[in-house]
Amino acid sequence: MTAIGIAAVEGGLLFEPQLVLQSGLVAETTRALGLVAENWLFLLFGVAVGMALGTIPGMGGSVTLAVLIPFTLALDGASAFTLLAAAMGSTTFAGSITAILFNVPGTSSNGATIIDGYPMAQQGKAAIAIGASAFSSAGGAVIGIGIFYLLIPFVVDIVLAFGPPQRFWLVLIGLGVLPLVSGKRMLAGLAIGGLGLMFSYVGTSVITGERIFVLNEPFLYDGIGLIPAIVGLFAIAEVVKLATLDRGVLQEGVEIKGNQFDGIREVFKRKSIFIRSAIIGTLVGAIPGVGGTAATFISYGHAVQTSKTPETFGEGNVEGVIASEAANDSKDGGQLFPTLGLGIPGSGSTAVLLGAFIMHGILPGPQMLINHLDLMLVIVFALLASNVLTSIIGLATAQYLVLVTKVPITVIFPIITALSLVAVYITRNNFGDVWLALAFGLLGVLLMYVQITRIPIIIALVLGEIMENNYHITLQLYDTGAAAFFTGWLNVMLVVTLLVTVLFPVLKPYLSKRTSAFS
């Protein structure tokens, strides 16, 4: 065994990176690009469907793919997966449009975008936010998919490096940003984050089988869904607030300012946070069981932590939009590592994509890198093309989209409320989720009234279940018990990163004083 390949065994097949290199990656790349070009109509149709469904709350990539799969069964592999990859890629940016304009994320991974995107719309900067989102999305996709392409020979090794202990620490790092996003009322924000953790534990544990905090209500057995929580806390709470003020999204006396090209310039001004966020999104997306939503919130927390003006986040800081959307689209490239390399879904949408492979008679995993490398690359390039094309459409239409911020609340209220509640219901076909959304809406109104940020609830709700599951899995898989969390260089590196994340806000004033003293 050479240095570049730790072998992985799946289905009796010994897989090594050399086999991918010997199969002619360059030749297969040329072939895949030709196949995508031949199927440009399917690419455009996938983009159109993805954008249309992506702007509807709850209709994310998994729902979009589920709708399209039956129509692909009569197609050849290249046509089918060009269509599916294009639809999956276009939903991510499309969901940011409603997140910015109405405080309603089209997909759960757009949840971090609303934190600063919607306040920008209220300040008349919706076009700037959409421009920054579009360019960050396209750039993030280029970085994420580019990294995947370059590392195709090592895809199995990379995915296997992150086991349950590493995922546990990674989620704790994400939770470590709660003090940073809590604003001036840190203790209140931490308390709200604790409430979010409690919400994340509601339901039936997939590890122990216990039912926790279900209150004998069957609709809680599957836990509290992220879509009902986000829709309630942000969408419903916001329209209720606007109804009491009797105005549109745009704050009274504020004019629309800037354009989408100003948003692009903002990304170039903040290219460092853009690149770092895209890399974070790719890394987190590559870890099975963490998911794209976690990637966006972890990236957002990193942006807050490293910003010179962290107090402005949540009030319309464009860096929040850039970080969230760069990670949101780069995570698609990251999710290809476990999905195509091991046949392990990296998210709900890639789980549906795996189902499409099986329906087309293709077994995902290491064998796919050898037997269907051209088809894998078709997905890569179709996903990349759809992200870029969707962002171009967003840039071209931004100036028209922002006009809806002037629409009176009497028109917006019934439309947003109806769409939000219907989306909440169809996500899991559970009417109990509608009641959950209304309850979270009431909580959101209360938190706005007492001026406590709602952000920690969502971050904790996203990360809490992942942390709990990986904690139990680690203890069950490793004979060393809790010592497994501290064994190996990767665990040590993650622990150090966690300590830096937690201690940085405390030490930052001291370090600033020391720096100024020596300058």
Side-chain angles (χ1 to χ4, degrees):
M1 183 83 53
T2 63
I4 74 168
I6 300 174
V9 179
E10 184 171 308
L13 173 67
L14 184 65
F15 170 78
E16 294 187 24
Q18 293 95 323
L19 295 178
V20 176
L21 298 175
Q22 291 167 3
S23 68
L25 183 58
V26 176
E28 294 297 337
T29 297
T30 304
R31 172 174 161 76
L33 286 171
L35 289 172
V36 173
E38 289 176 10
N39 291 284
W40 63 272
L41 279 175
F42 289 105
L43 178 71
L44 292 179
F45 182 66
V47 168
V49 173
M51 287 200 73
L53 296 182
T55 55
I56 302 173
M59 298 288 284
S62 55
V63 177
T64 303
L65 292 185
V67 170
L68 288 174
I69 283 176
F71 299 99
T72 69
L73 298 180
L75 301 175
D76 62 89
S79 301
F81 288 102
T82 296
L83 172 62
L84 294 175
M88 185 174 72
S90 57
T91 56
T92 49
F93 166 68
S96 73
I97 295 175
T98 52
I100 291 168
L101 297 178
F102 301 120
N103 212 29
V104 183
T107 69
S108 59
S109 59
N110 297 119
T113 307
I114 65 179
I115 300 172
D116 284 286
Y118 183 69
M120 289 184 70
Q122 291 179 304
Q123 298 162 15
K125 301 176 183 177
I128 298 175
I130 292 175
S133 172
F135 195 76
S136 298
S137 295
V142 170
I143 291 175
I145 294 172
I147 290 174
F148 173 77
Y149 177 80
L150 293 174
L151 296 179
I152 282 178
F154 316 102
V155 61
V156 175
D157 298 347
I158 293 169
V159 175
L160 293 179
F162 281 85
Q166 291 78 28
R167 295 198 291 268
F168 172 82
W169 289 120
L170 189 66
V171 170
L172 270 184
I173 292 170
L175 289 173
V177 305
L178 288 180
L180 299 172
V181 299
S182 297
K184 297 178 181 178
R185 305 184 66 179
M186 185 180 295
L187 290 180
L190 290 175
I192 290 299
L195 183 64
L197 280 177
M198 289 181 60
F199 289 151
S200 73
Y201 300 143
V202 172
T204 306
S205 172
V206 296
I207 307 299
T208 65
E210 294 178 282
R211 289 174 179 165
I212 306 170
F213 303 145
V214 295
L215 305 176
N216 293 321
E217 293 289 346
F219 76 89
L220 289 176
Y221 289 175
D222 292 330
I224 294 177
L226 186 59
I227 291 296
I230 290 179
V231 166
L233 282 171
F234 293 96
I236 294 177
E238 193 64 36
V239 294
V240 169
K241 174 186 173 183
L242 292 177
T244 61
L245 298 175
D246 193 23
R247 61 171 175 81
V249 171
L250 200 63
Q251 292 179 356
E252 192 171 346
V254 174
E255 293 296 325
I256 293 176
K257 60 193 78 168
N259 56 52
Q260 60 270 47
F261 301 106
D262 292 325
I264 295 175
R265 282 189 281 270
E266 291 291 344
V267 178
F268 278 107
K269 289 179 184 177
R270 296 162 173 81
K271 53 183 175 293
S272 175
I273 188 61
F274 160 71
I275 294 171
R276 282 183 276 126
S277 298
I279 293 173
I280 290 172
T282 306
L283 173 64
V284 178
I287 303 171
V290 178
T293 306
T296 58
F297 279 104
I298 291 173
S299 179
Y300 181 87
H302 172 74
V304 178
Q305 183 186 37
T306 56
S307 174
K308 295 180 180 179
T309 56
E311 68 281 356
T312 61
F313 280 77
E315 299 178 0
N317 190 325
V318 72
E319 287 185 21
V321 176
I322 294 170
S324 302
E325 287 303 309
N328 193 19
D329 281 62
S330 67
K331 63 94 171 59
D332 289 339
Q335 287 175 352
L336 295 178
F337 282 94
T339 304
L340 302 182
L342 290 179
I344 300 173
S347 66
S349 58
T350 53
V352 179
L353 186 65
L354 287 178
F357 278 125
I358 294 170
M359 289 183 184
H360 281 267
I362 300 169
L363 183 64
Q367 301 97 325
M368 191 172 178
L369 277 75
I370 300 169
N371 301 326
H372 300 284
L373 182 58
D374 60 338
L375 191 57
M376 175 188 287
L377 293 172
V378 163
I379 294 171
V380 168
F381 296 126
L383 189 62
L384 176 60
S386 69
N387 275 282
V388 174
L389 184 56
T390 306
S391 296
I392 291 173
I393 294 172
L395 289 172
T397 58
Q399 287 297 101
Y400 305 102
L401 293 171
V402 299
L403 297 177
V404 300
T405 59
K406 290 187 172 184
V407 177
I409 188 58
T410 52
V411 176
I412 295 176
F413 184 89
I415 296 175
I416 294 298
T417 303
L419 279 176
S420 297
L421 294 181
V422 168
V424 164
Y425 173 74
I426 65 175
T427 302
R428 299 196 296 184
N429 292 320
N430 189 341
F431 196 78
D433 284 346
V434 176
W435 292 110
L436 278 175
L438 293 173
F440 274 106
L442 181 62
L443 176 61
V445 171
L446 177 62
L447 291 176
M448 283 193 296
Y449 179 75
V450 296
Q451 298 182 337
I452 296 177
T453 179
R454 294 160 284 174
I455 301 169
I457 292 184
I458 297 301
I459 295 178
L461 184 60
V462 169
L463 301 178
E465 183 181 5
I466 303 172
M467 179 183 68
E468 180 192 20
N469 290 344
N470 283 286
Y471 172 79
H472 287 297
I473 292 172
T474 300
L475 294 182
Q476 292 178 10
L477 286 181
Y478 296 88
D479 296 333
T480 54
F485 290 106
F486 303 93
T487 304
W489 67 269
L490 188 53
N491 278 328
V492 172
M493 185 180 75
L494 291 171
V495 170
V496 171
T497 303
L498 174 62
L499 291 175
V500 171
T501 301
V502 173
L503 295 177
F504 185 76
V506 179
L507 297 177
K508 188 175 181 180
Y510 173 75
L511 293 174
S512 299
K513 291 180 181 178
R514 295 277 296 182
T515 303
S516 59
F518 285 104
S519 61

